[in-house]
Amino acid sequence: MCLAIPAQVVELREGDQAVIDLAGVRKEISLALVEDVWPGDYVIVHVGYALQKLDPREAEKTLALFAGLAESGAAA
Amino acid sequence: MAIEGELVVSIAAAAGRVTRAEARAERPRVAGALFRGRRAAEAAPLAGALFALCGRAQSIAAGAAVEAARGEEPGARRRIARDTAIAAETAQEHAWRLLVDWPVLAGLPPEVEALAAGRKAIAPLLAADEGLDPAPAARAVRDWAEEAVFGSRPGHFLRLASANDLLAWAREGRTGVARLAAKVLAGDAGLGASGVDFLPPGGGAALARELALAIEGDEGFDDTPHWRGKPRETGPLARMAGHPLVADALATWGRGVGARLSARLVETALALVSLDTARGEGHGHGALALGSGSAIAWVETARGLLLHRAALDGERIAAWRIVAPTEWNFHPEGAFSRGALGLAAGDAPGLERRVRWLVASLDPCVGVRYEAGHA
């Protein structure tokens, strides 16, 4: 199961591309499958494409869940 | 490891043949830790938020497991809405493979705009709740698929009844997907055929009961699942093996890339036809109470059988296990590893291309890293 870790859009680039920050790692991805995404928005990314835009409160909740796991070592 | 999870595929060859093929799913094991101690009502939204690709299937499995553990029976309307969402999610995932991932592998242009249009048309059906009339959205999705995938009505495509019929459809080349099929079937139809048997399709409650016992007795089951002691293939090919076109594809090309492509096309068409005719009869999902606050739920997702095994302590979750389709198909002795054995090694880029096709035909739910080694 691919984990849906929220990634934050950092910068928009030409051709529907964007730079995202996924848990501190920056990657360039495509926004071709989602609409109305701006820097600061959270998206779910899979193999180079943003799949879905997230409600920011939901995204922060999910990030907190994963952060809690990392601290407890359960995700190792 | 990629933080969201990754499948590491490693291949060794000697004397021109693949002698060892392994796939390790490197991904955080989070279900048990994240579910335990939460309120039972949180399970379905949590599962939907945690998993990126089959979020609807995950949340339906979690919700159905909690209902069964509490001894509740979902009504017909809820079962129908769930079957509709499962069919929609299956069509959406198959469309991604057919329009973007597989064309890229085949050296054809990916049809990203067509996929985006399809996802937009499918979206209302993914969100389907008990009040929605799926008919208008289902019609829109079928119109989209006629243009983007089949070049005819999905129901018309389902009249193809043999491998030769499919080849004729592919050669006509009315859509990018047909041209993709023509290219793949001309070169790689028999690629990666394995002798691994299928999980019985539509196994329903009887299969779930058997698998629940196996899960119970085996801590490692979630990583290396098996049925009656053997790894099995799950997914579209296992489900569609009885359809005349797929049965003939199996007889012609074996259990490999060509038959899996055939099965995905047939299943996509069937899913689209069933979007507004779902009757909630339990082929696509279900759940079974196991006593003492425990239950198992199953969903036939795009990639295969998904199991959620729940144990409640009153209103709290005491334990939760998930068995995902990728673990069946990428089992150390499963369809991938067995199918890759004996592949012609040839030159390194050619071997990587063939292995990537075999992996893609089994549609893992995480990205893939390829490592070539020596025997």
Side-chain angles (χ1 to χ4, degrees):
Chain A
M1 300 145 287
C2 175
L3 280 179
I5 302 174
Q8 194 165 30
V9 176
V10 181
E11 180 192 331
L12 299 184
R13 294 198 173 159
E14 277 183 19
D16 255 349
Q17 297 291 111
V19 177
I20 51 131
D21 180 317
L22 180 68
V25 180
R26 294 203 170 192
K27 280 191 205 176
E28 186 166 312
I29 57 132
S30 167
L31 296 177
L33 300 180
V34 287
E35 287 180 344
D36 193 27
V37 171
W38 299 96
D41 286 346
Y42 285 97
V43 291
I44 297 291
V45 174
H46 182 64
V47 290
Y49 288 90
L51 281 181
Q52 191 190 333
K53 183 171 151 178
L54 294 174
D55 174 85
R57 270 169 307 185
E58 289 301 314
E60 275 155 26
K61 251 169 65 184
T62 310
L63 283 171
L65 275 178
F66 287 123
L69 267 185
E71 268 165 35
S72 69
Chain B
M1 132 175 138
I3 185 170
E4 69 274 24
E6 188 173 53
L7 189 75
V8 181
V9 167
S10 80
I11 294 290
R17 297 275 156 197
V18 170
T19 51
R20 187 176 49 78
E22 287 172 2
R24 294 188 312 281
E26 291 193 344
R27 49 192 186 189
R29 290 261 151 227
V30 294
L34 278 178
F35 280 76
R36 199 163 37 244
R38 288 180 187 279
R39 286 184 299 114
E42 290 177 77
L46 180 62
L50 283 180
F51 302 108
L53 284 184
C54 52
R56 284 298 288 153
Q58 293 278 359
S59 103
I60 288 167
V66 166
E67 284 165 5
R70 287 171 170 163
E72 296 166 9
E73 278 276 327
R77 283 159 61 96
R78 179 173 297 176
R79 293 201 308 274
I80 290 169
R82 284 173 172 172
D83 275 348
T84 301
I86 291 165
E89 195 165 64
T90 295
Q92 173 176 278
E93 287 301 310
H94 289 355
W96 188 317
R97 305 293 89 69
L98 294 167
L99 291 164
V100 174
D101 289 356
W102 293 359
V104 169
L105 267 180
L108 297 168
E111 300 182 78
V112 180
E113 278 174 28
L115 177 62
R119 291 175 65 89
K120 210 169 164 180
I122 289 167
L125 294 161
L126 283 178
D129 65 19
E130 292 164 41
L132 179 102
D133 170 13
R139 277 195 296 274
V141 177
R142 284 194 289 266
D143 287 345
W144 163 80
E146 177 173 351
E147 194 174 315
V149 180
F150 298 110
S152 65
R153 307 302 293 165
H156 190 262
F157 178 85
L158 289 170
R159 290 188 213 145
L160 303 184
S162 68
N164 273 335
D165 286 357
L166 181 69
L167 285 167
W169 169 83
R171 286 189 196 118
E172 234 180 290
R174 271 189 266 167
T175 63
V177 174
R179 294 187 288 278
L180 165 76
K183 189 161 181 188
V184 174
L185 295 174
D188 292 319
L191 179 69
S194 90
V196 173
D197 288 329
F198 301 138
L199 258 187
L207 178 64
R209 186 179 297 280
E210 226 181 300
L211 293 175
L213 284 173
I215 290 172
E216 226 41 41
D218 181 357
E219 286 276 310
F221 190 90
D222 314 9
D223 291 325
T224 51
H226 51 84
W227 182 55
R228 300 187 176 169
K230 288 188 188 157
R232 308 284 172 160
E233 177 168 348
T234 184
L237 182 57
R239 287 189 294 250
M240 297 290 117
H243 183 280
L245 165 55
V246 181
D248 192 48
L250 277 166
T252 310
W253 299 314
R255 294 171 199 158
V257 166
R260 294 199 188 106
L261 172 64
S262 311
R264 262 190 198 72
L265 286 163
V266 167
E267 188 166 77
T268 304
L270 275 174
L272 297 177
V273 169
S274 74
L275 283 173
D276 45 1
T277 54
R279 286 189 287 177
E281 286 169 340
H283 302 300
H285 79 281
L288 182 70
L290 301 168
S292 344
S294 292
I296 188 163
W298 68 92
V299 175
E300 282 289 353
T301 72
R303 293 175 176 77
L305 185 70
L306 170 70
L307 299 167
H308 277 224
R309 203 273 184 201
L312 304 185
D313 179 5
E315 262 312 291
R316 294 275 161 191
I317 295 168
W320 202 282
R321 288 170 71 178
I322 299 178
V323 187
T326 297
E327 270 63 36
W328 288 92
N329 291 330
F330 292 88
H331 185 285
E333 289 160 24
F336 166 73
S337 291
R338 287 288 177 250
L341 278 187
L343 277 184
D347 58 313
L351 176 59
E352 177 169 351
R353 189 192 67 82
R354 285 189 287 282
V355 170
R356 283 192 179 273
W357 260 112
L358 174 55
V359 170
S361 76
L362 289 161
D363 192 9
C365 57
V366 285
V368 177
R369 192 166 86 223
Y370 177 86
E371 291 175 349
H374 298 282

